[in-house]
Amino acid sequence: MAVPYNHHEVEQKWQKIWDDEQAFKVSEDYSKPKYYALVEFPYPSGAGLHVGHPRPYTALDIVARKRRMQGYNVLYPMGFDAFGLPTENYAIKNHIHPRIVTRNNVARFKEQLHALGYSFDWDREVNTTDEEYYKWTQWIFLKLFKAGLAYKSEMPINWCTSCKVGLANEEVVNGVCERCGSAVVRKVKSQWMLKITEYADRLIQDLDGVDYVERVKVSQKNWIGKSQGAEVDFTISGKEDKLRIYTTRPDTLFGATYMVVSPEHPLIDKYKEEIGNYEQLCAYREQAAKKSDFERTELAKDKTGVQIRGLTATNPVNGKEIPIWISDYVLMTYGTGAIMAVPAHDERDWEFAKKFGLPIIEVVAGSPVSVQEQVFTDVATGTLVNSEFLNGLSVADAKERIIAFLEEKGIGTSKTNFKLRDWVFSRQRYWGEPIPIVNCEKCGYVPMDENELPLTLPEVESYEPTDNGESPLAAMTEWVNTTCPCCGGPARRETDTMPQWAGSSWYFLRYMDPHNKEALASQEALKYWMPVDWYNGGMEHTTLHLLYSRFWHKFLYDQGVVPCPEPYQKRTSHGMILGLNPHSFVNQTQEEQKRLVEQYGSEKAARAALVEEFGEMAEHPIVKMSKSLGNVVNPDEIVEEYGADTLRTYEMFIGAFDMSAAWSEDGVKGCRRFLERVWKLQDILVEGEDYSADLETRMHQTIKKVSGDYENLKYNTAIAAMMALINDMNKKGAVTKGEYRTLLTLLNPVAPHITEELWQICGFAGKIYQTSWPEYEEAKTVEATVEIAMQIGGKMRGTFSIPQDLDKEQVIAQAKELLGDKLTGTIVKEIYVPGRLVNIVVKP
RNA sequence: GCUGGUGUGGCGGAAUGGCAGACGCAGCAGACUCAAAAUCUGCCGAGGGCAACCUUGUGUGGGUUCAAGUCCCACCACCAGCACCA
């Protein structure tokens, strides 16, 4: 009998052996085929590793381990994205330097990751807060600055009232701060901006050449929001000036009955003398400015606006004079900040026209209902009317025709617009990369000399942000006051720091050559390792990190720093690990449910009572894990009680990798039992390197299934296949050494410790991590005899077994014989699907 | 509202158009045990039948097909992202 499976001993033993042997050290031999597997590096929070972290890490650890066994030189690195607000806030609260907080947190994370047995090459660890790392983050910023892609701009930014920091649009969720949930207001500040918009088109186009899961591609495209239309100049009646608008429906130009400009549009101030109701407009503008983004979108469903008195516009195609309004449904930040309103064919314009009694003219016919009653926006079926030379054309043809006309007359051009805005790159915080720019009174903003990098963070007394919106660095006069690199005169350093997304925008490059002092990575390393072959990360990073890092990479490509235009060849996304909601009715024990029903009279009433007490959330049985609900699972405890191999197996078995899944401790136990059964197979081990006759097909099938599933994110069915195999082995009561060896190898990427231990116990040569991946023969995955389903008219009527190679007539004949009396009526069709079924279609 | 995704036993979930429910959990019964736990064996969608079996069943309603969880059309519910982007 085997000794009992002791996961503590086994896991500690093998983790030490791997460390001592440097088992997963990346080879510098660039002649070998390479494979670069990447997971998003974590933010080392004070809470330690969450049970959600191991899911993607284990998935790609499986791929990495398998690739090594297949002979690849594998780069599977790990690091820490350690700059950021939570650390800084913790430091402020507890009066500890953020560097120390970071160091402690990183140490804890490393320990936890180590205990899970990942095959990371820790010699390549990166940390965004290391001077030797952020030196290159600053270096890239200087390149951006010199290329004119980093600029300073006075602009209204999203200001988090609690974090006291400016946020990028992407960091504002439903009008509140993504991190702390506090209200976000508009505040005008001078900010560093990055011109990501310059890359908008390429960021969409190049998605065609990469293998990203569809939903990631779609969200990137939506976020960038490309639209094709035209800009048209309307004359302001009696003036030289033109009012330029953007529209995606130039075909409806003859239907424009009024115009709308955004409240911030410069037109208003320019003609304030002639505007009869300037005061009224200003009042409206002020009101609009006070609204947060949240109010503007969520609460202001009802259209508001004011007509500009004293100014009108002229439609350039028919000379019609139309009024101009201001309204906050037109945004200054998109297009030209002005629109022509075609109420018949645009929903918002229609609502506005109805509210203010403005005329609605149909120019696209085809709606079953009058446009006075209902807006008609269908572009596929309509035909142009009331539009002179466009009459009778389809919408698509009319667009083409009108744009040609506008361009010929010089009153308009075709134009592409994007929703994407430039990236707000400054943060009024301490714990980030200093921006290596100096502000000189004479020379303006001057970049630091590259050779002087890194510009390190100075020691400050207080990390507290100031209420006037300045970074804590501003108080460091010694550090701030410097000399201009250009003229040598007195100058001030930039006191804002970079956002957290800076360091994570290029970290995958540093892993290739992490100790390089001359460059962010050597050209040889970049040429060999790029692009990342497989990058997995969370959906929440699709419009932030993923887009930002693709932008930086494209820029570095244009600069000749990196050899390829796209950083990631393949991108997948894992689902979240959720927890049970302890307040939900369905998660109560049966007794408790019964008690609640009795107490409140019915299940409905009981549920309502729970909602009353705990809020809407009580209706959702499966929710995000949170401290306040007390349903957070600590991975350390799982590793302690069941072992890392069990945790790894469970997280892979929990469900489809890309879907969210609810944690279940019973499920963990099931996976532990599975490993115990694998352990106990050593008791029925028999001599023999070959597969036994009755398991040979199963072995080949399992190798095929597991190998394929590991490549296709189907870890759950790979494990199910191995479970099924050991069930068969146990039924048979014997396993040959050859069979066991294969099973252990297949399971090794998922459960590396226990499989190495068993390998050694069985006296197999070497270590599993040094062996090669098992092969299968396609011919041997086919059963000699197959079970055939019998159907009459598509209804199941039993099964029978035949040898694989029997021909159609014989199979059908046999089926008919077995069906006997059940087969009545005239046979109209006989179908045989080889190896699967016989279907006999009869007419009564 | 738009975009994408998901609806299958008590639960997590499997099924190149071809035997729905693999695998796991929970449950039930049995073996072992003084007993419990652990372990092992068997059963396990619903309805009917002593039984062999029969009927029914993958969110709803239609359709295509010899055959539909899977394909097509229309809807419903839930989840995620976007949301006055002209």
Side-chain angles (χ1 to χ4, degrees):
Chain A
M1 282 297 276
V3 295
Y5 168 44
N6 178 331
H7 64 266
H8 290 112
E9 274 174 27
V10 170
E11 290 176 359
Q12 276 166 25
K13 169 181 165 183
W14 284 97
Q15 282 161 16
K16 181 157 190 317
I17 291 174
W18 295 330
D19 287 346
D20 292 348
E21 292 184 353
Q22 300 207 9
F24 307 113
K25 191 169 171 57
V26 178
S27 160
E28 302 286 349
D29 178 2
Y30 290 174
S31 66
K32 280 172 84 177
K34 67 96 182 181
Y35 197 86
Y36 187 176
L38 182 67
V39 286
E40 286 172 347
F41 61 165
Y43 175 74
S45 74
L49 213 59
H50 181 267
V51 85
H53 285 113
R55 197 181 195 192
Y57 300 167
T58 307
L60 283 212
D61 195 43
I62 289 170
V63 174
R65 285 173 179 273
K66 177 173 176 240
R67 282 286 180 286
R68 281 190 206 97
M69 287 193 250
Q70 288 174 318
Y72 288 85
N73 184 19
V74 172
L75 176 55
Y76 185 46
M78 182 44 80
F80 299 95
D81 187 16
F83 274 131
L85 270 182
T87 299
E88 186 167 341
N89 288 339
Y90 182 89
I92 290 166
K93 206 171 151 196
N94 299 285
H95 306 287
I96 308 175
H97 196 288
R99 190 179 301 121
I100 295 170
V101 178
T102 299
R103 200 202 296 142
N104 293 343
N105 289 352
V106 164
R108 166 113 191 268
F109 263 70
K110 273 182 84 166
E111 204 177 300
Q112 290 180 301
L113 290 168
H114 191 258
L116 286 166
Y118 293 124
S119 62
F120 300 129
D121 179 353
W122 283 107
D123 287 346
R124 291 180 180 244
E125 173 187 353
V126 303
N127 182 323
T128 53
T129 63
D130 281 348
E131 288 169 15
E132 280 306 305
Y133 180 88
Y134 72 67
K135 169 182 174 177
W136 298 104
T137 311
Q138 292 172 331
W139 182 82
I140 296 170
F141 181 84
L142 288 182
K143 290 271 182 225
L144 285 159
F145 180 80
K146 287 173 190 167
L149 292 171
Y151 62 98
K152 199 128 196 211
S153 168
E154 284 281 332
M155 66 167 308
I157 56 155
N158 306 298
W159 179 262
C160 173
T161 46
S162 163
C163 301
K164 295 174 184 167
V165 67
L167 303 171
N169 289 317
E170 290 86 338
E171 294 170 298
V172 183
V173 176
N174 290 332
V176 300
C177 173
E178 182 200 40
R179 283 223 181 271
C180 72
S182 307
V184 170
V185 297
R186 303 190 149 270
K187 189 163 182 167
V188 175
K189 265 197 70 74
S190 176
Q191 298 282 310
W192 281 100
M193 307 288 293
L194 295 187
K195 265 191 206 162
I196 189 171
T197 50
E198 194 125 305
Y199 284 77
D201 232 338
R202 283 166 68 188
L203 286 167
I204 291 180
Q205 256 165 33
D206 291 355
L207 285 173
D208 290 340
V210 291
D211 174 22
Y212 288 12
V213 288
E214 192 57 22
R215 56 187 179 144
V216 171
K217 278 194 185 180
V218 168
S219 348
Q220 291 234 334
K221 281 181 194 162
N222 283 350
W223 189 263
I224 297 167
K226 183 175 180 168
S227 82
Q228 233 124 20
E231 282 188 351
V232 185
D233 287 332
F234 281 61
T235 35
I236 299 170
S237 312
K239 303 275 182 260
E240 282 295 300
D241 262 340
K242 309 277 191 210
L243 178 55
R244 178 167 291 184
I245 60 98
Y246 174 71
T247 178
T248 54
R249 293 293 303 277
D251 54 297
T252 61
L253 192 48
F254 288 91
T257 56
Y258 62 100
M259 304 191 75
V260 188
V261 300
S262 135
E264 299 89 23
H265 200 281
L267 180 87
I268 302 160
D269 280 332
K270 185 161 183 193
Y271 293 103
K272 72 195 222 187
E273 307 301 330
E274 285 137 274
I275 294 172
N277 59 341
Y278 181 71
E279 305 285 306
Q280 203 190 346
L281 298 181
C282 287
Y284 181 83
R285 177 158 61 187
E286 243 171 77
Q287 231 179 6
K290 262 198 286 185
K291 286 186 193 171
S292 67
D293 271 359
F294 182 71
E295 288 170 308
R296 245 171 120 142
T297 58
E298 284 299 309
L299 306 174
K301 293 275 187 234
D302 232 14
K303 297 276 179 293
T304 58
V306 183
Q307 188 180 348
I308 303 178
R309 306 274 168 206
L311 281 188
T312 55
T314 309
N315 188 331
V317 287
N318 59 10
K320 233 191 213 165
E321 198 169 325
I322 53 176
I324 309 172
W325 287 65
I326 66 168
S327 172
D328 63 5
Y329 86 82
V330 175
L331 310 172
M332 196 58 223
T333 46
Y334 184 78
T336 61
I339 62 157
M340 65 169 187
V342 184
H345 307 292
D346 180 279
E347 205 149 330
R348 294 148 302 177
D349 296 347
W350 191 86
E351 268 177 46
F352 193 84
K354 277 286 166 193
K355 173 147 183 198
F356 293 103
L358 293 155
I360 299 170
I361 300 174
E362 179 181 64
V363 288
V364 182
S367 170
V369 190
S370 156
V371 292
Q372 307 301 327
E373 299 301 318
Q374 197 180 64
V375 64
F376 180 61
T377 56
D378 185 2
V379 292
T381 60
T383 308
L384 274 284
V385 292
N386 300 326
S387 300
E388 301 178 13
F389 59 93
L390 298 178
N391 287 343
L393 296 177
S394 70
V395 167
D397 290 345
K399 270 188 193 173
E400 212 170 292
R401 185 72 190 279
I402 189 78
I403 288 174
F405 176 84
L406 293 170
E407 287 181 344
E408 195 189 305
K409 299 271 173 188
I411 47 177
T413 50
S414 82
K415 168 86 181 176
T416 304
N417 264 329
F418 297 92
K419 285 193 219 175
L420 185 71
R421 321 243 177 101
D422 279 345
W423 175 6
V424 181
F425 199 69
S426 317
R427 296 293 182 275
Q428 296 68 43
R429 280 289 176 158
Y430 173 75
W431 196 228
E433 300 90 343
I435 294 175
I437 298 283
V438 174
N439 189 4
C440 169
E441 276 170 40
K442 265 202 336 234
C443 316
Y445 293 111
V446 181
M448 271 178 63
D449 188 334
E450 284 178 20
N451 297 320
E452 308 220 336
L453 297 178
L455 171 61
T456 56
L457 272 170
E459 298 298 322
V460 297
E461 291 285 311
S462 159
Y463 322 108
E464 195 98 36
T466 53
D467 285 320
N468 64 13
E470 282 205 323
S471 148
L473 292 180
M476 292 291 302
T477 44
E478 255 172 72
W479 184 82
V480 172
N481 292 324
T482 182
T483 51
C484 173
C486 192
C487 70
R492 286 172 56 83
R493 288 195 194 284
E494 173 58 58
T495 57
D496 283 358
T497 53
M498 298 188 198
Q500 194 177 5
W501 312 108
S504 59
S505 289
W506 71 280
Y507 73 112
F508 53 92
L509 297 173
R510 191 65 178 169
Y511 283 138
M512 298 175 206
D513 191 8
H515 309 296
N516 194 318
K517 300 231 184 251
E518 263 66 59
L520 51 78
S522 75
Q523 281 301 307
E524 299 78 62
L526 287 163
K527 282 207 182 85
Y528 176 68
W529 288 112
M530 283 308 288
V532 173
D533 293 279
W534 186 342
Y535 187 23
N536 184 82
M539 274 312 281
E540 70 274 22
H541 291 130
T542 311
T543 49
L544 296 155
H545 159 65
L546 197 63
L547 201 62
Y548 292 155
S549 64
R550 289 182 61 224
F551 159 50
W552 274 35
H553 195 80
K554 287 185 180 305
F555 168 70
L556 291 174
Y557 174 70
D558 291 348
Q559 295 282 309
V561 178
V562 296
C564 56
E566 278 291 331
Y568 320 117
Q569 181 47 41
K570 170 174 177 167
R571 167 79 181 191
T572 55
S573 250
H574 56 271
M576 256 194 292
I577 297 214
L578 304 171
L580 296 183
N581 183 351
H583 303 321
S584 155
F585 180 82
V586 298
N587 289 334
Q588 307 304 314
T589 59
Q590 285 206 336
E591 299 83 71
E592 180 63 7
Q593 286 188 6
K594 229 163 126 189
R595 196 190 64 75
L596 284 165
V597 169
E598 258 166 46
Q599 185 181 344
Y600 293 100
S602 70
E603 183 179 323
K604 205 174 155 192
R607 281 170 181 261
L610 289 169
V611 169
E612 179 82 13
E613 188 173 353
F614 300 108
E616 279 300 310
M617 282 307 283
E619 273 299 291
H620 299 270
I622 293 169
V623 291
K624 274 191 199 174
M625 288 185 182
S626 74
K627 264 190 204 159
S628 59
L629 285 175
N631 60 357
V632 178
V633 177
N634 182 346
D636 291 347
E637 285 167 19
I638 304 297
V639 171
E640 173 62 25
E641 191 169 351
Y642 302 97
D645 283 335
T646 297
L647 178 65
R648 293 170 61 115
T649 307
Y650 174 63
E651 294 218 11
M652 293 298 97
F653 189 63
I654 192 167
F657 182 69
D658 57 351
M659 303 243 274
S660 55
W663 183 267
S664 145
E665 185 135 352
D666 281 333
V668 177
K669 286 182 190 155
C671 288
R672 167 73 190 206
R673 277 203 278 267
F674 164 59
L675 295 182
E676 299 258 13
R677 283 150 69 105
V678 172
W679 182 266
K680 273 190 265 176
L681 283 175
Q682 58 180 295
D683 292 339
I684 55 169
L685 198 62
V686 296
E687 289 301 322
E689 286 303 311
D690 295 332
Y691 301 149
S692 56
D694 44 356
L695 278 181
E696 185 176 37
T697 309
R698 289 306 307 266
M699 293 305 299
H700 285 272
Q701 285 171 340
T702 308
I703 297 169
K704 182 180 178 180
K705 173 82 179 149
V706 172
S707 303
D709 282 355
Y710 282 170
E711 299 296 325
N712 297 311
L713 302 173
K714 301 186 74 171
Y715 308 100
N716 54 336
T717 49
I719 292 166
M722 290 186 279
M723 287 173 168
L725 178 64
I726 71 161
N727 287 348
D728 283 358
M729 288 171 166
N730 276 320
K731 257 189 202 118
K732 191 189 160 201
V735 197
T736 68
K737 285 193 166 177
E739 288 158 0
Y740 204 34
R741 189 200 304 269
T742 297
L743 171 68
L744 293 177
T745 315
L746 291 176
L747 182 60
N748 173 262
V750 179
H753 312 85
I754 188 175
T755 46
E756 285 285 11
E757 180 70 13
L758 287 166
W759 187 270
Q760 194 180 60
I761 289 172
C762 294
F764 297 148
K767 311 261 161 53
I768 299 187
Y769 78 80
Q770 294 161 329
T771 62
S772 40
W773 191 250
E775 305 276 342
Y776 67 91
E777 287 172 50
E778 187 63 46
K780 291 190 176 165
T781 62
V782 186
E783 310 268 6
T785 59
V786 284
E787 199 173 63
I788 299 290
M790 292 186 290
Q791 296 184 342
I792 299 175
K795 285 211 188 286
M796 274 298 297
R797 284 296 177 270
T799 60
F800 64 106
S801 288
I802 55 155
Q804 178 67 240
D805 48 7
L806 216 59
D807 63 32
K808 182 178 172 178
E809 280 69 36
Q810 289 173 292
V811 179
I812 289 177
Q814 201 172 333
K816 281 184 187 164
E817 198 185 316
L818 285 163
L819 286 169
D821 291 349
K822 289 181 185 164
L823 202 56
T824 54
T826 4
I827 294 169
V828 289
K829 206 167 180 184
E830 291 168 347
I831 292 151
Y832 174 52
V833 182
R836 304 215 79 124
L837 60 69
V838 172
N839 186 11
I840 296 170
V841 187
V842 293
K843 223 165 49 187

